[in-house]
Amino acid sequence: MEDIKHKILVLSGKGGVGKSCIAANLAVWLSMQGKNVGLLDIDIHGPSIPKLLNLEDRKVQAEGDKIKPVLYNHTLKVISIGFLIHDENAALIWRGPMKHNVIKQFVTDVSWGNLDYLIVDCPPGTGDEPLSIVQLLGNADGAVIVTTPQQLSVIDVKKCITFCRQLNLPVLGVIENMSGFVCPHCNHRTDIFTGDGGKQMAKDFDVPFLGSIPIDPEVVSACDSGKPFINFNSQSTTAQALNYAFESLLKPDIKTKLIRRLRVK
Amino acid sequence: MEDIKHKILVLSGKGGVGKSCIAANLAVWLSMQGKNVGLLDIDIHGPSIPKLLNLEDRKVQAEGDKIKPVLYNHTLKVISIGFLIHDENAALIWRGPMKHNVIKQFVTDVSWGNLDYLIVDCPPGTGDEPLSIVQLLGNADGAVIVTTPQQLSVIDVKKCITFCRQLNLPVLGVIENMSGFVCPHCNHRTDIFTGDGGKQMAKDFDVPFLGSIPIDPEVVSACDSGKPFINFNSQSTTAQALNYAFESLLKPDIKTKLIRRLRVK
């Protein structure tokens, strides 16, 4: 783990807000910038990363006493419980301690090598998995929090920010996903999940707002076909929004401000 | 618990598919039919039921050595961890055993009284919470499984069906939520989460398909304002789809078929 420069968690209080999609696109985007990247999927009950990156048939290999991650390309290494389960319909009916053990193995027994960034995709909530990974990583840079604009999601995401603060994990920023739907037929925009919740919440909690990503059927279709959107549709408005969010996330001034803010507390 | 005639779990492999919304609407719908209903929210990290039923400011009361549930109306009793937490931003950073204990209390120490139906809203996945509730209830009628049509959700929901089969919990049916968006401006329908995944999956796994519910900004707004959609918008197409799904769920012939199928296995 000491060979990894930056460790970033992707969190959300609520499921189904597109967290895994954001995590996968962030990892691919970093790798497109020439960075050495690891993507660790710690969603044990519903691992989405293998599907999102079209790695569903891949399995991990042993390398001495280490586990060798699956390569998406020569600069992106991936680990997910999905690579260890042969039947995609199998349910892992596991209680917390089992999950903690497997996450510990993913952190300590995988040959990650030298990485610029390790991106961790966490399941929703503030239970065993995010708690274990924060404790196991020890010195993560911080968390990106994903929400949809609707109130119901924002409520859970506030709990997520409280979680970060209680564990001294800096909040690097909030991404508002599924933010407005533009009808492909008439171009009329409908705010399906109503408006502005993520932005307002970021303001209320004094954390950086990294931008809004539109709800886009092309993203859903990219997810389902395992083609990371940012790679295969880089010219679209949605890809530009993702690009802006990721650039804002890594801007040194945001990080400096955050570290300062954290020290003040 | 022996005073409760029917116990139905609402499950999904994936978060954000509208499971709590379906659970709340099912409970309100049953109560509108004159049934005595309990609604038990076992999502410990992100309880949505208080918000969905506009009960956010309510607290549980003691009644001798029992916990008195919160009343939505005179035929619908509700319990959620949300009623025990005073700060809505507080995060319950709890590992599995803690969650098991509180769910056990919700089952054994709440004065549910005589109920026709107990509806249980579970968090996503196949971990501690759904495992605990299935074990604690012992003889539930079965589970309603909620999915969106997209592949990524369907994969997780298949795991959920495997979970039910391994625990001998009958699958009462699958509801496909967020199934197609009709532009309010031009009436053009877009399948945002692509098509038919829930229906196809129900067929593949030989479980009843209870219908598709459209993605409808009015439902989101009803959720955010705590007005159960089926009660306040009963004439809309979406409410009719919900109505059809709930009627199908409770049709005796489906249940008889299921019990037969379960016995054959």
Side-chain angles (χ1 to χ4, degrees):
Chain A
M1 279 288 124
E2 52 272 26
D3 297 332
I4 300 176
K5 285 186 202 147
H6 299 286
K7 297 163 194 157
I8 296 177
L9 280 72
V10 183
L11 293 176
S12 83
K14 197 173 180 332
V17 298
K19 189 176 26 58
S20 298
C21 173
I22 298 283
N25 276 286
L26 173 58
V28 169
W29 181 82
L30 285 165
S31 127
M32 285 162 69
Q33 320 284 311
K35 305 292 182 191
N36 282 315
V37 188
L39 175 57
L40 169 55
D41 176 8
I42 61 163
D43 191 334
I44 307 298
H45 302 300
S48 301
I49 295 295
K51 174 86 181 167
L52 287 167
L53 296 181
N54 196 23
L55 301 171
E56 284 173 291
D57 299 327
R58 305 285 284 278
K59 298 285 163 247
V60 291
Q61 314 253 308
E63 191 177 43
D65 58 349
K66 289 281 179 187
I67 302 166
K68 213 170 143 182
V70 166
L71 292 182
Y72 172 74
N73 61 29
H74 67 286
T75 56
L76 176 51
K77 295 171 179 170
V78 188
I79 278 290
S80 165
I81 190 84
F83 300 144
L84 298 160
I85 309 297
H86 293 266
D87 174 8
E88 67 153 13
N89 300 334
L92 292 182
I93 310 174
W94 285 3
R95 291 194 176 272
M98 289 274 284
K99 292 189 272 188
H100 177 81
N101 286 342
V102 79
I103 294 170
K104 193 173 172 189
Q105 278 203 291
F106 285 168
V107 170
T108 54
D109 297 346
V110 169
S111 53
W112 289 109
N114 287 305
L115 294 181
D116 296 304
Y117 288 93
L118 178 71
I119 306 299
V120 184
D121 180 26
C122 300
T126 55
D128 288 277
E129 298 92 324
L131 183 53
S132 290
I133 194 72
V134 172
Q135 290 172 342
L136 288 164
L137 291 180
N139 61 344
D141 292 53
V144 182
I145 299 185
V146 184
T147 184
T148 65
Q150 78 175 120
Q151 281 296 315
L152 206 62
S153 172
V154 169
I155 290 175
D156 290 353
V157 169
K158 286 179 183 171
K159 294 182 200 297
C160 205
I161 294 182
T162 308
F163 168 88
C164 293
R165 291 190 169 161
Q166 289 188 6
L167 298 178
N168 279 325
L169 182 71
V171 176
L172 300 176
V174 171
I175 294 180
E176 187 182 85
N177 198 20
M178 305 194 187
S179 201
F181 175 71
V182 178
C183 175
H185 189 245
C186 71
N187 281 323
H188 179 83
R189 180 188 159 112
T190 308
D191 286 328
I192 298 182
F193 293 106
T194 57
D196 240 20
K199 194 172 185 176
Q200 187 56 46
M201 192 261 300
K203 202 175 153 198
D204 293 348
F205 277 74
D206 194 20
V207 294
F209 182 68
L210 304 176
S212 300
I213 317 294
I215 187 166
D216 183 341
E218 292 294 326
V219 173
V220 178
S221 140
C223 288
D224 276 354
S225 60
K227 293 181 171 174
F229 191 78
I230 198 121
N231 196 351
F232 288 83
N233 308 57
S234 57
Q235 297 311 309
S236 68
T237 320
T238 306
Q240 282 164 23
L242 281 169
N243 216 55
Y244 173 83
F246 298 157
E247 274 175 0
S248 308
L249 170 67
L250 300 182
K251 259 186 202 158
D253 61 321
I254 285 193
K255 285 181 68 179
T256 319
K257 268 191 226 161
L258 262 165
I259 291 163
R260 203 180 307 135
R261 194 180 303 155
L262 204 78
R263 286 201 183 126
V264 168
K265 273 179 189 158
Chain B
M1 278 288 123
E2 51 272 27
D3 297 333
I4 300 176
K5 286 186 202 146
H6 299 288
K7 297 161 194 158
I8 296 176
L9 280 73
V10 182
L11 293 176
S12 84
K14 197 173 180 330
V17 297
K19 189 178 24 61
S20 298
C21 172
I22 297 283
N25 276 286
L26 174 58
V28 169
W29 181 83
L30 285 165
S31 129
M32 285 162 68
Q33 321 283 311
K35 306 293 182 191
N36 282 314
V37 188
L39 176 57
L40 170 55
D41 177 8
I42 60 162
D43 191 334
I44 307 298
H45 302 300
S48 302
I49 296 294
K51 174 85 181 166
L52 286 168
L53 298 181
N54 196 23
L55 300 171
E56 285 174 290
D57 299 328
R58 304 285 285 278
K59 299 284 163 250
V60 290
Q61 314 254 308
E63 191 177 44
D65 57 350
K66 290 281 181 188
I67 301 164
K68 214 170 145 182
V70 166
L71 292 181
Y72 172 74
N73 61 30
H74 67 286
T75 56
L76 176 50
K77 296 170 178 171
V78 188
I79 279 289
S80 165
I81 192 82
F83 299 144
L84 298 161
I85 309 296
H86 292 266
D87 173 9
E88 67 154 14
N89 299 335
L92 292 182
I93 309 173
W94 285 3
R95 292 193 176 273
M98 289 275 282
K99 293 191 271 187
H100 177 81
N101 286 342
V102 78
I103 293 171
K104 193 174 174 189
Q105 278 202 292
F106 285 168
V107 170
T108 55
D109 297 346
V110 169
S111 53
W112 290 108
N114 288 305
L115 294 181
D116 296 304
Y117 288 92
L118 178 70
I119 307 299
V120 184
D121 180 26
C122 301
T126 55
D128 288 277
E129 299 91 324
L131 183 53
S132 290
I133 194 72
V134 172
Q135 290 171 342
L136 288 164
L137 291 180
N139 61 344
D141 291 54
V144 183
I145 299 185
V146 185
T147 183
T148 65
Q150 77 175 121
Q151 282 296 315
L152 206 63
S153 172
V154 169
I155 290 175
D156 290 353
V157 169
K158 286 179 182 172
K159 295 182 200 296
C160 205
I161 295 183
T162 308
F163 169 87
C164 292
R165 291 190 168 159
Q166 289 189 5
L167 298 178
N168 280 324
L169 182 72
V171 176
L172 301 175
V174 171
I175 295 179
E176 187 182 85
N177 197 20
M178 306 192 187
S179 203
F181 175 71
V182 178
C183 174
H185 190 247
C186 71
N187 280 323
H188 179 82
R189 179 189 160 112
T190 308
D191 286 329
I192 298 181
F193 292 106
T194 57
D196 240 21
K199 195 172 185 175
Q200 188 55 47
M201 190 260 300
K203 202 175 152 197
D204 294 348
F205 276 74
D206 193 21
V207 294
F209 182 67
L210 304 175
S212 300
I213 317 295
I215 188 165
D216 182 342
E218 292 294 327
V219 174
V220 178
S221 140
C223 288
D224 277 353
S225 59
K227 293 182 171 174
F229 191 78
I230 198 119
N231 196 351
F232 287 83
N233 307 56
S234 58
Q235 298 310 309
S236 69
T237 319
T238 306
Q240 283 164 22
L242 282 168
N243 216 52
Y244 173 83
F246 297 157
E247 275 174 0
S248 308
L249 170 67
L250 300 182
K251 260 188 200 155
D253 61 321
I254 286 192
K255 285 180 68 179
T256 319
K257 267 191 228 161
L258 263 165
I259 290 162
R260 203 180 307 135
R261 194 180 301 155
L262 204 78
R263 286 201 183 125
V264 169
K265 273 179 191 157

